[in-house]
Amino acid sequence: MKDKVYVISLSQVSNQDSSNESWFENPEYQAGETVVCKEPAIKEFISPVESRRMSKILKRALFASLSTLKKSGIENPDAIITGTGMGCIENSEKFLVDIINYGEEMLKPTLFMQSTHNTISSVIANRLHCHGYNNTYSHKGISFESALMDAWLQLRTGKAESVLLGCHDEITPLIGNVMKYSHPAFNRPGECSMACVLTNKYLAGKSICQVDSVNIFYKPSVDQLIRRIEESGCKILLTGLNGNPDNDRAYHEVLDRLGPSYKVLRYKHVFGDSFSVPAIGFYCGVKIIEKGEIPEWMNLEGDKEEFETPEDILLLNYDYQSSWGMTKISKLRR
Amino acid sequence: MNSTERVYITGAGIISALGNGIEVTSRAISQGRSGIESVKYLHTSHRELPVGEVKESNEELSARLQVKGEASQIRNVLLGVSALREAVASASLSASDLKNTAFINGTTVGGMDLTEQYFKAVYDSGGKDENSISVRYNDCGISTEMIASEVGEFAMITTSSTACSSGANAIILGAEMIKAGIIDRVIAGGTESLSNFHFNGFKTLMILDNDKCRPFDRDRKGINLGEGAAYIVLESERACKARGVKPLGILSGYGNRCDAFHQTATSDDGEGPYQSMTTALQMASLRPEEIDYISAHGTGTPNNDMTELAAMKRIWGDKLPYFSSTKAMTGHTTSASGAIETVMSLIILNEGIIPPALGVINPIEQGAMPVVEPLKAEGIKNIVNNSFGFGGNDSTLIISKSSI
């Protein structure tokens, strides 16, 4: 049993620039009812011919994956694990629209072939010729924690020494509208991609932080959540508070009963809401530990306590009326 | 973390075109019966294509299961509830046991069968009318939670979605969690109902057989899609002993590998299946000749069966164990297939009857004749169960006889 899991590199595609990390200090606030991605410069990794055959989510996922692998210096990971809430929804929507318009004849096979949730992991594997462990989780707002838990298990048991972990969701104009009805606890429906490389070996100059634990609790009691938060020893809570009372009520039930020594951070007011946005929260948390500072924009709750150098962060992620994800990350301790 | 921890199977539930439950399925195996017929329930204009439908309408299923509300309209959920309840009962789990149990479901279609009924209204309104709520159900996770909420309270719930190997991969995650000591008990498997979406999707790929499918026949033409659900209860040795239950079998090994060849086609050399099977054999510490039967993925497409056989021959050479595919009995139940065939493997272990690959007249190649009649075979100890999905998501489970 390997004793630690390390984050080596991360890449993201969101409403922020994917080419640099200036968003961590000064994010751009995107206006509008939905939050949409800035398309990355994919040319370095994806040829125009390939690009034409791919939907938005596949391009972004492949870009984020290849870009984080490049940063990590690991060419071919032992495992590829993906989380996605809606999967390849653009292609699914197009296939459904074609059924409306053309009936059950003359439908396009490519749309169907690239509609399943696992298309993302397999497009990456095909590109890398990676025969290793390959899995996809699709469970609403805890798709990321589900994939992370699997990655963590693969690394801790030594079945894989390196994992490419990603979490990806896209919206279309139609889905952006639909989500106001179908997901009323979201604030602004959005989309994003995040990919990172995790290893079970410390790599000097590369390891950024540790992933100490990943837990998913289905409909836990407030008492259980408070106990788990206290047991984690973390005083910095990076939460999925989004400004929508339907969503935030559950957080407040827990946070209001914690002592005053906690610092509560948030990120969804910048990145919007999507099933994959907890993966961006993870990115934010890793950057806080790497840089040793908490950017002002994440700290909307007003200071309860100053932390000179943030060392441990608990990522708290509530999936409306259902699960809580709890991920502890911390600074390197060797 | 004790990675040598054994993972026992202490309960099982199943529903498919063969009928509802272990007993009915067991009889169908010994009779070599097929549940594949012409379309009865699916709203499609392609009535000519045979399918393996569960022979109950949504109304009949929801009445039998006493499921109300939205869940009663989602076939994927109804099938899941039926199989999950049987699994819980067969393992004699109490409501408080479930509170310490994780539920991991494999599905890909999710609530698409409901979404597609409302999608025209959603589309026509630009997503701005209340039918848009229906899109909420087109989500793998929602159908998993709806299934769970009809059965009990669980400690943790998640969903794997790797197309036709989803059910197998749900079982693998469950076993990994038990081996890692995260939890002592997991119910895992898969569910998939037919939907117009994937039925037409498979049709565009031109891999559906217009007649009854014939996996491993020389002249096989393709798939008959099916539907169903199955779950198994996985427990640590400690949990088994604490409850004093007799296991139905052991999940002695598993492998998940990627063919990394093509989104829907499979490689000539079967690299993905070869690696998933060898990984599983190594984990189970079994030599190839110790495998008594291969429950093949065997979809009946020219491509899949050729690739799978190529991979089998790389491991077993010309001395193939007994093998067959049950997809000519159940149809290809996609995300549920790995779980359905795991439950069938438990039946085979305990009843000693190997199900036939129906419809085979000429074998796929010389010397590679599958079992074609129900075969009484005593002393079956180890079964290899393959599930391969789109995107080259290849998984193998090894189900072995329990010694406790």
Side-chain angles (χ1 to χ4, degrees), chain B residues 229-395:
Chain B
Y231 299 102
I232 57 173
V233 180
L234 300 167
E235 289 193 81
S236 67
E237 188 160 357
R238 182 176 55 183
C240 277
K241 286 188 172 154
R243 297 200 309 118
V245 287
K246 187 171 162 47
L248 304 171
I250 299 180
L251 181 59
S252 57
Y254 42 85
N256 161 318
R257 288 293 180 267
C258 189
D259 205 32
F261 176 73
H262 185 270
Q263 181 54 25
T264 50
T266 55
S267 60
D268 290 339
D269 62 357
E271 186 62 21
Y274 170 76
Q275 288 198 20
S276 74
M277 285 189 276
T278 49
T279 305
L281 285 165
Q282 278 165 17
M283 181 177 174
S285 302
L286 289 171
R287 285 172 282 117
E289 59 269 29
E290 291 178 276
I291 297 301
D292 303 302
Y293 167 64
I294 301 172
S295 172
H297 187 58
T299 58
T301 65
N303 194 209
N304 173 82
D305 296 3
M306 178 273 295
T307 300
E308 188 168 12
L309 182 63
M312 282 156 55
K313 287 171 72 175
R314 282 173 70 181
I315 297 170
W316 283 277
D318 293 331
K319 292 182 179 153
L320 292 172
Y322 290 132
F323 73 98
S324 65
S325 160
T326 52
K327 291 193 172 60
M329 301 171 73
T330 60
H332 185 1
T333 58
T334 53
S335 290
S337 64
I340 283 183
E341 288 155 33
T342 296
V343 174
M344 291 172 104
S345 295
L346 291 168
I347 294 171
I348 296 161
L349 271 185
N350 291 302
E351 305 288 329
I353 296 177
I354 292 177
L358 298 175
V360 174
I361 298 163
N362 300 297
I364 176 168
E365 59 175 66
Q366 201 76 37
M369 190 68 178
V371 174
V372 293
E373 296 279 345
L375 180 73
K376 190 97 185 122
E378 297 295 337
I380 295 177
K381 288 196 185 76
N382 301 298
I383 297 176
V384 158
N385 172 12
N386 285 334
S387 299
F388 309 145
F390 273 8
N393 276 143
D394 299 331
S395 289

Side-chain angles (χ1 to χ4, degrees), chain B residues 65-204:
Chain B
L65 299 165
Q66 306 221 308
V67 169
K68 297 185 175 68
E70 286 105 344
S72 67
Q73 294 182 58
I74 304 178
R75 197 165 173 82
N76 208 36
V77 170
L78 293 169
L79 300 177
V81 171
S82 182
L84 183 58
R85 286 216 185 120
E86 186 186 14
V88 167
S90 91
S92 309
L93 294 175
S94 67
S96 65
D97 291 333
L98 294 184
K99 288 182 184 172
N100 300 314
T101 304
F103 176 47
I104 306 171
N105 186 34
T107 189
T108 303
V109 165
M112 177 58 87
D113 63 319
L114 181 72
T115 301
E116 66 190 13
Q117 292 171 40
Y118 293 98
F119 190 74
K120 189 174 186 318
V122 174
Y123 176 64
D124 288 345
S125 74
K128 291 183 175 172
D129 91 16
E130 61 185 25
N131 283 302
S132 298
I133 293 168
S134 71
V135 176
R136 165 176 143 83
Y137 301 108
N138 175 35
D139 183 305
C140 300
I142 286 260
S143 48
T144 302
E145 290 182 8
M146 291 172 92
I147 292 164
S149 70
E150 297 292 337
V151 179
E153 294 173 38
F154 289 87
M156 180 198 138
I157 299 183
T158 192
T159 307
S160 72
S161 187
T162 56
C164 304
S165 55
S166 304
N169 283 327
I171 291 169
I172 290 177
L173 178 70
E176 288 285 287
M177 286 169 63
I178 289 172
K179 280 176 174 285
I182 289 180
I183 200 158
D184 276 335
R185 191 182 310 108
V186 177
I187 306 185
T191 179
E192 201 106 290
S193 67
L194 283 165
S195 75
N196 223 2
F197 183 94
H198 77 283
F199 184 70
N200 275 286
F202 274 88
K203 188 165 182 298
T204 65

Side-chain angles (χ1 to χ4, degrees), chain A residues 31-50:
Chain A
E33 292 195 341
T34 55
V35 175
V36 294
C37 285
K38 281 189 181 178
E39 296 302 339
I42 57 173
K43 266 191 298 190
E44 183 186 350
F45 300 111
I46 307 169
S47 73
V49 177
E50 271 182 297

